Amino acid sequence: MRRIPLTLAATAALLPVVYALSAVPAQAANGSLAVTTIGRNGARITSTVNILSMSTWAVSTVHSGQRASLAKGRYAVLTDIQTPDTSPAVMGMTDTLAAQEITVSGSDSLTLDARKGKQIKISLDATSGSAAKNYTGFVNGAVCAGPTTLGQVGAYNEPGGLYEIPNSSRDLSFAWLQSWQGDSNGTGYLLSSQSTGLPAVPSAGYRKSQLAQVNATARRSEQASGATSIELQPTPAQLDCQTDLWGGGYQQDAPFSRTFYVTPGVWTSRTDIFGSQGDIGGAFASPTDFLAGHSYSQIFGKAVWGPTSGIPYVSGRAVRFDSSGLINDATGGTDGSAGSRGTVTLTRNGKTVKSQSYSGGAAFSAGINAAGWYNLVQSGARTTAGTLSSNVTVNWHFYANPATSQVLPGYTAQLSPAGLGGFNQATPKSTTDVAVYLSRTQGNGWYGPGFAKETVKSLQMWSSGDNGKTWQTIQVSRSGNHFVAAVHNPASGAVALRTLVTDTQGNTSDQTIVRAYAIG
């Protein structure tokens, strides 16, 4: 049975391999092309074929054996020739990736013969010889044309089941990713490379000492389901044939840790969460340049979740605010987020200017006609209750002038407890050091007004062991570019955290996170 890779729909640039695209060239058709594909068994095979115009980048998708009407011009033809194979070493068939350029000038034909394919052979000392029995291997491959991934064709198989037909054209490219996985608690190896043209000898040998070590941990408590996998994929600076290749660990219940060794270069770590009854579907970490011989750490599902961006601002004589970023993975280096529902309320001198309910996040806008001191309060609970970070409230107190468009004074406090366990729990009656990072950001792609000048005067902090009914003052000290608070933990339950940032002009940012982390 052919195994299909798992997918994580998030950022478009990081989606798994696109196997076929459909588009219609805009030019009038005054030529045609028929593509024949021959399998490794010598028989004609029906394959899906992408025909990419090298001038317009339009893609036509046809089946081999059919004649496609095309405008005259230069094209790249890309396909995966899948040949049935009953060998136990492959997934019921072999895959042969092919890419070739052709100039269409009339009624033209092209034959792509998988028997000319060269087997992709990647070896690693740590998984070779007697160690091979401890690992399961898979290999991804992709072919592309031109400076774009449009028309890209990819394939996925067991080692020994993937081939490519050599082609020296510099307008074509080929990429592969070879992975080896041990048992559910074992070590994984991910090797990847890209080349211009399709190589005559698609083989390479590696040593473990040439690789970078990535220690990845998936904690549990920010989602209802623990069924999780950790994957990694190459992340070049620009989209190319290697971008959509990925590999990783088997699905298992969090919490767990896995160690991966990867070829040096920029990679993105990510999680998939399966069958989740919560509101967290997985996350991408920040792309990281992994260097040979170095060790790196990535933790997914870290507590505490809270605001990551979004500060009230004045534009068009109105106070405006984006309510969508209330409960997010603030300091874990990932883009995990939880939906929330609640209210956003703007007041002045104790009188309500506007109150708005939201579910999942929405834009808030309230017109103001006078300069003065205002309060904007957002209070929300998770749309689908998770174990932790269940309720978050932020109270912005600021001076606003309707005639001055700017991002108003204020900070989000992003909190990162040290030393928590796999369920984001601290030891009862222990002390937890919580790092506090103060941030002023509106998120990616901000194109609104500039930021008001802002200087922190003080940071105060409190903790609660009874969901905010009573509070205890926490001592806070500065440490480099952030602050550290020593939280004295209760005997059981969970810890709520509150921060209050005051600037030199009297503006304040008051933030509370209920069930910030657990005790256990």
Side-chain angles (χ1 to χ4, degrees), residues 466-490:
D466 55 12
N467 292 327
K469 295 178 182 178
T470 60
W471 294 93
Q472 295 79 44
T473 301
I474 305 172
Q475 295 299 314
V476 180
S477 60
R478 181 177 284 277
S479 177
N481 67 343
H482 65 283
F483 298 85
V484 176
V487 180
H488 299 291
N489 296 310

Side-chain angles (χ1 to χ4, degrees), residues 152 200 242 352 369:
Q152 178 185 21
Q242 195 179 20
T352 299
N369 54 24

